């Protein structure tokens, strides 16, 4: 009787563990960056020059749907949206508060939305924002002095330098030649083979692939 009861408890415990342990089936795999062989045209900038925001390239031209699918092979319903941004700093505004067309980029940021396996709608988002386009020497000095963040354990991933600007849901701020940019995003999924919460995996494993994709476009 005691043996039967013990065996029954073991079977019950086994069933409970099998029921409540997370399954790897359906978890989302992270692929590798596969940048297309294309260059985003930026003019040669030197002697301390700064490219006006209204002359910046379209942020959505840096990453296309095929490149997203290389990073997220299971992505569906991919959409992108260009968003305007202002490049006017508070210091610049204080010096001259008048509006100028050169202070605004119509497509300085691109927002991508997609549906990953396990999501019922396009709950995953990735965004890319241009922060500045200028003489590379000026970009280096600007980043060193004004961009706060921690150096990445993963390295610059093809950029000249990157920092993580947050701890939990951190974004990456990077520079490559004349371009200073930031990438970030979020997802509701659990990634395959990872025990860490999604935000950390996104920061440490996903964003580096997007940085590599973008940096490859700047020659």
């Amino acid at each position: 009787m005691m043996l039967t009861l013990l065996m029954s408890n073991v079977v019950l415990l086994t069933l409970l563990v099998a029921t409540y342990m997370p399954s790897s089936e359906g978890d989302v795999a992270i692929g590798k960056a596969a940048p297309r062989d294309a260059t985003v045209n930026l003019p040669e900038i030197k002697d301390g020059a700064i490219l006006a925001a209204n002359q910046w390239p379209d942020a959505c031209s840096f990453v296309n749907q095929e490149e997203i699918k290389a990073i997220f092979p299971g992505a569906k319903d991919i959409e992108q949206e260009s968003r305007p941004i202002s490049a006017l700093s508070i210091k610049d505004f204080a010096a001259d508060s008048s509006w100028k067309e050169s202070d605004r980029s119509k497509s300085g940021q691109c927002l991508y939305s997609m549906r990953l396996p396990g999501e019922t709608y396009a709950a995953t988002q990735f965004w890319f924002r241009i922060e500045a386009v200028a003489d590379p020497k000026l970009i280096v000095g600007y980043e060193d002095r004004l961009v706060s963040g921690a150096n990445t354990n993963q390295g610059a991933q093809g950029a000249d330098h990157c920092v993580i600007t947050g701890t939990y849901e951190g974004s990456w701020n990077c520079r490559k030649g004349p371009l200073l940019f930031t990438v970030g995003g979020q997802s509701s999924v659990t990634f395959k083979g990872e025990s860490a919460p999604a935000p950390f995996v996104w920061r440490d494993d996903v964003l580096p692939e997007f940085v590599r994709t973008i940096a490859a476009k700047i020659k």
Side-chain angles (χ1 to χ4, degrees):
M1 181 68 178
M2 290 295 295
L3 180 60
T4 302
L5 183 59
L6 178 60
M7 292 299 294
S8 298
N9 288 338
V10 170
V11 171
L12 179 60
L13 179 60
T14 302
L15 289 173
L16 288 172
V17 170
T19 301
Y20 291 103
M21 280 187 65
S23 171
S24 61
E25 184 177 355
D27 289 352
V28 178
I30 302 171
K32 295 295 182 182
R36 67 189 187 277
D37 186 17
T39 302
V40 175
N41 292 323
L42 290 173
E44 183 180 2
I45 309 172
K46 54 185 180 179
D47 300 326
I50 300 172
L51 188 66
N54 63 339
Q55 298 178 43
W56 289 357
D58 183 348
C60 289
S61 66
F62 284 82
V63 181
N64 66 13
Q65 290 197 10
E66 287 72 23
E67 291 168 322
I68 288 177
K69 287 184 177 180
I71 299 170
F72 290 131
K76 296 181 179 180
D77 303 334
I78 303 173
E79 295 184 359
Q80 65 185 48
E81 177 187 352
S82 293
R83 293 189 171 182
I85 61 173
S86 174
L88 188 67
S89 69
I90 293 178
K91 182 178 180 180
D92 293 334
F93 178 81
D96 182 2
S97 60
S98 61
W99 184 86
K100 295 183 288 295
E101 185 179 0
S102 60
D103 297 331
R104 187 175 184 269
S105 169
K106 294 181 179 179
S107 56
Q109 178 167 318
C110 192
L111 176 66
Y112 300 83
S113 61
M114 66 204 78
R115 178 169 60 88
L116 296 184
E119 292 181 326
T120 57
Y121 65 98
T124 294
Q125 293 185 332
F126 161 73
W127 54 265
F128 163 64
R129 183 174 64 240
I130 298 173
E131 304 290 355
V133 183
D135 179 344
K137 294 181 179 178
L138 190 60
I139 291 291
V140 171
Y142 180 88
E143 186 203 32
D144 288 346
R145 177 170 293 188
L146 296 177
V147 178
S148 60
N151 288 327
T152 69
N153 293 330
Q154 299 89 339
Q157 301 295 322
D160 297 329
H161 184 253
C162 291
V163 296
I164 293 176
T165 59
T167 302
Y168 183 61
E169 294 184 357
S171 56
W172 282 49
N173 183 281
C174 303
R175 56 176 168 83
K176 175 71 179 290
L179 179 70
L180 183 67
F181 64 93
T182 304
V183 294
Q186 60 187 11
S187 180
S188 68
V189 303
T190 299
F191 294 99
K192 187 174 183 179
E194 299 288 349
S195 58
F200 291 105
V201 179
W202 184 277
R203 182 195 68 189
D204 296 337
D205 298 322
V206 174
L207 289 183
E209 301 302 327
F210 280 110
V211 170
R212 187 180 293 115
T213 300
I214 294 164
K217 311 298 171 59
I218 306 300
K219 306 299 183 182

